[in-house]
Amino acid sequence: MAPAKKRNVSVKTPEDSIKKVKLDLNSNVERIIESRKNANDVFDLLECLQSEKEKDVVSAVNACIKLFSTLLERRDLFVGKLPREDEMLSGAHSAEEKYCMFMRHRYNSCVEMLLEHLSHDCYQVKESALCGLMKFAAGEGQHPLEDLDWSEHYSFPRELIQAVVDRLLCKTEDTSLLISRFQEFLEMEDVRYYVMSSIRENVGKVMDKNKGAVLPVYQNNVFTLLSNINMPSQESELTNFLVKQEAKHEDWKAAKLTEHKRAFEKMWLGFLKYKLPSRMYKNVLVILHDSILPHMSKPTLMIDFLTAAYEVGGAISLLALNGLFVLIHQHNLDYPDFYKKLYNLLESSVFHVKYRARFFHLANLFLSSSHLPVYLVAAFAKRLARLALTAPPTALLMVLPFIFNLIRRHPSCRVLIHRPSTEDEPLQDPYLMDEEDPAQCHAIESSLWEIKTLQKHYHPDVVKAATLINAPLSAQEDDISELLEMTNYELMERDLKQTRTKGVPLEFEIATQLLKGGGDVLGQHFCLE
């Protein structure tokens, strides 16, 4: 029996099939661009956009971008109010107009599919769809398809940007990863301006529909998008535009810093007027003083939000101090009972919160004025001293110099250190720890006996800091900036790295051999036999 001949059997791999799909799509695009007779081939591209294979969808997205970007440049898409397809066929339109209307309908279908793909399970599909939509936005900006209000929006595709923002601000899915990809486009001045307007409209529509109820997923997506917006500080920085206006560019709202600030302000105020999840209050307050207030045209409009946050208590009140400090210091905000509220924020938990360093830094600034009444400064010093009895060593090393600085600024408070008393007679402390009003707590009638008690602390550094009160305090204040963020680990490392004393010499002359050396005293009285 003759041996069987070997057959060349080619096995198709997934990579081969993907290449074939790309070749087919690219050839379809070339045929459609070359001749209008092949216009129906566009349905193959749209069908491939609905494929269940992610890589095929990505290839179809790239093909559609190439096709419709070319058609936009060649002005082969219908401009103006688009009639329905049945009206297009029955109406008295030329072949040229029918072709433009046909391709415009296909373009609209492609845009709708790409918007749907922003919610796709595969991130690669989402990213391709987002980049495709922004490519179409740039094309529509250069070759507008609608009759826009030229005095207001010029030739920017605001409706398309609004649709993209609506998809990014999903109510059921976390879109933070896609929003981080969208940040690249937010660096463009016109995109940023119209995105801010779109966010404000979307938030108002969604939150009003839900009657202001908390929507954690949706509001987290909104905050992620808001915090990714980087505002320019000078009008000369407005140079990067997605769409360059040919005429009256300087009159365009998107090219004016004041209009950017106004849109930025309305966007944030529209978001913050609704109830937020408790964790989001902290996230907003952390960036408020640095990333929001400086870019608002009227920062004083944040007074209601900040005062409400300041009244909440706990960590939220601590974080609200930063924004209130900016408004008080730079915008002359008059906040009634501010120091009373600050006094009540001093609790034992303040030494253990994440924002301890920021709180004491701001408290130091608020108490730095020499015009504060003596009773108020004495109340803060006494309350801190009482809390110091149960504070950890890292907090004590910061609190003790803090108290000493208060006494240095206000010499009238030295009575808290040197208060004569009857010897061998126990006295009751008149200070009322539970009193919320610093004017009624009788701190000025008390003394800082707590610091004397801390001189018996187990940690030697605390003892050393507390004993400074035994001698007259120097006029120069202590710098506490390096102590604000000290941790237990750093304190331990500092103790372990302390320089050790050198070895103590036991003999002046070093012995060279047994029973010899050191004046040969041993050799005179002893011998080895």
Side-chain angles (χ1 to χ4, degrees), residues 339 366-377 380 406 410:
Y339 283 97
F366 285 124
L367 295 172
S368 61
S369 175
S370 59
H371 299 288
L372 295 176
V374 177
Y375 77 86
L376 182 65
V377 179
F380 276 92
L406 291 180
H410 303 272

Side-chain angles (χ1 to χ4, degrees), residues 176 179-180 182-183 186-187 223-230:
S176 56
I179 290 174
S180 64
F182 187 63
Q183 185 180 10
L186 291 175
E187 298 300 323
F223 176 74
T224 303
L225 185 54
L226 293 179
S227 56
N228 274 281
I229 295 177
N230 298 319

